[in-house]
Amino acid sequence: MDLQTTLLVTAAALALEALIGYPQRLYHAIGHPVTWMGRLIAWLDRHLNRENHAPATRRRLGIVALTVLIVLVGGIAWFIESIVYHLPLVLVLPGLAILAVIASTGLAQHSLYTHVRAVAEGLEKGGLAGGREAVSKIVGRDPDSLDEQAVARAAIESLAENYADGVVAPGMWLVVAGLPGMAIYKAINTADSMIGHRTPRHDAFGWASARLDDLVNLPASRLAGCLLIAATWVTPHVARQGIFQAMKRDAPRHRSPNAGWPEAAMAAALGLKLAGPRSYHGHVVHDHWMGDGRVEAGPKDIRRALTLYRNACILQWLLVVALFALFL
């Protein structure tokens, strides 16, 4: 599709997903495109990632698995998009609407907001136990090792990082390469979340997925940080001065080449310290702090972060609309 049409579909998909999200009834009935990708990744992992193989062989087979995933997912998305592109003129608008609905499944604005808000509500209504239960659904760290302040920080960190790779990145790749670009991005990102961790089983097999995920998220993470900074100007009770400098200072120190950018922007805007030492399955990760504010955080800080996030999502949508108008 041409850029103007792609921008129209992107704007519609962003608006639709923000307002409605992915219906739970539909999820329970047929699952979600990401869960379908997950089943394929798990199948490839079971059949190709053998423990008796040498690390070099497992790395090569991991590249094969990732290639199969990309070709299959990208091919299906290209086929769907090509059908819409070749529809008769009278069916173009309904076809584009269907395309926007399909593209909306690759975005996570609504679900991310809902899950992070649940952590604030859990802390407010159920105390530490309620907060731990809610945050365990969105972070991989050990919930039992977290006090109330750490629960709140974990929720805010997850919001910032997932804004980049669950909202900005798929939207950006949708603009750049249409539905196939978004689908391939989601496939890579899902593969990284499933097999990209440095565990004995996936250190070699998931190497390609982890490295490629770092690459495809690189521009979106910087854009996400800038959108969060821009959103401070329309968000009450957050800092506005010196945030860009703080992001540039702190983000390169993060152990992830991408997560630090939105996390550092969020930390500076809220006057908090995020990241730092964290425990995953009994293993402590010693990471640098993002921001130089306070470590004390609570439900009010989560809600401030959600307001900033919501406004950044609106700015992202307005940016797509402005680009669409520019190319009219």
Side-chain angles (χ1 to χ4, degrees):
M1 292 189 298
D2 60 86
L3 179 58
Q4 186 179 4
T5 304
T6 302
L7 287 166
L8 177 63
V9 169
T10 303
L14 284 166
L16 179 66
E17 196 279 330
L19 293 172
I20 300 175
Y22 193 81
Q24 282 296 311
R25 285 186 179 181
L26 189 61
Y27 179 82
H28 292 306
I30 65 170
H32 185 279
V34 169
T35 65
W36 305 340
M37 295 176 194
R39 291 192 190 102
L40 175 58
I41 295 165
W43 186 89
L44 291 166
D45 185 27
R46 286 195 306 272
H47 288 81
L48 296 180
N49 189 15
R50 302 295 176 85
E51 293 183 0
N52 60 330
H53 288 157
T57 301
R58 296 174 85 170
R59 178 176 290 196
R60 285 195 296 270
L61 290 172
I63 295 172
V64 170
L66 182 61
T67 302
V68 170
L69 176 69
I70 289 173
V71 169
L72 186 57
V73 170
I76 293 172
W78 173 85
F79 179 72
I80 294 171
E81 188 178 84
S82 65
I83 290 175
V84 173
Y85 189 76
H86 290 95
L87 285 173
L89 185 60
V90 69
L91 297 176
V92 167
L93 284 180
L96 292 178
I98 293 172
L99 202 59
V101 170
I102 295 172
S104 72
T105 67
L107 300 162
Q109 299 166 99
H110 189 275
S111 61
L112 180 57
Y113 187 95
T114 300
H115 282 98
V116 174
R117 182 182 61 187
V119 180
E121 293 173 347
L123 288 170
E124 290 165 346
K125 298 175 182 178
L128 178 58
R132 282 176 172 174
E133 181 181 358
V135 83
S136 67
K137 299 176 181 177
I138 59 173
V139 300
R141 65 195 69 177
D142 302 325
D144 292 341
S145 69
L146 305 176
D147 58 19
E148 290 192 21
Q149 297 173 7
V151 166
R153 290 198 307 272
I156 296 169
E157 291 162 21
S158 180
L159 179 67
E161 181 177 357
N162 284 290
Y163 170 57
D165 61 23
V167 180
V168 177
M172 184 199 76
W173 286 110
L174 180 58
V175 170
V176 171
L179 188 64
M182 171 190 258
I184 290 171
Y185 167 76
K186 293 299 293 184
I188 295 168
N189 189 243
T190 305
D192 176 61
S193 68
M194 292 182 65
I195 62 174
H197 302 290
R198 298 187 69 86
T199 62
R201 175 170 178 80
H202 293 127
D203 188 30
F205 187 76
W207 171 84
S209 298
R211 298 291 77 77
L212 188 56
D213 184 71
D214 287 343
L215 181 62
V216 296
N217 270 305
L218 191 145
S221 63
R222 278 72 176 167
L223 176 58
C226 291
L227 284 168
L228 287 168
I229 291 171
T232 63
W233 293 95
V234 291
T235 304
H237 312 302
V238 297
R240 297 183 178 90
Q241 303 295 332
I243 302 178
F244 185 74
Q245 290 77 9
M247 181 177 71
K248 285 177 60 180
R249 178 196 68 205
D250 293 337
R253 303 174 183 173
H254 200 286
R255 69 188 183 102
S256 165
N258 295 314
W261 296 86
E263 285 188 22
M266 183 74 81
L270 299 179
L272 295 174
K273 283 185 177 180
L274 299 177
R278 305 183 294 283
S279 176
Y280 295 89
H281 308 294
H283 175 67
V284 178
V285 172
H286 296 281
D287 202 357
H288 290 279
W289 288 102
M290 300 289 104
D292 54 7
R294 53 189 167 83
V295 295
E296 298 83 7
K300 290 184 178 179
D301 295 299
I302 298 176
R303 294 192 180 279
R304 284 197 302 142
L306 285 168
T307 301
L308 182 62
Y309 161 76
R310 181 193 63 203
N311 291 338
C313 288
I314 293 172
L315 287 179
Q316 180 182 352
W317 181 80
L318 289 174
L319 176 60
V320 173
V321 171
L323 289 171
F324 173 75
L326 183 65
F327 287 99
L328 274 177

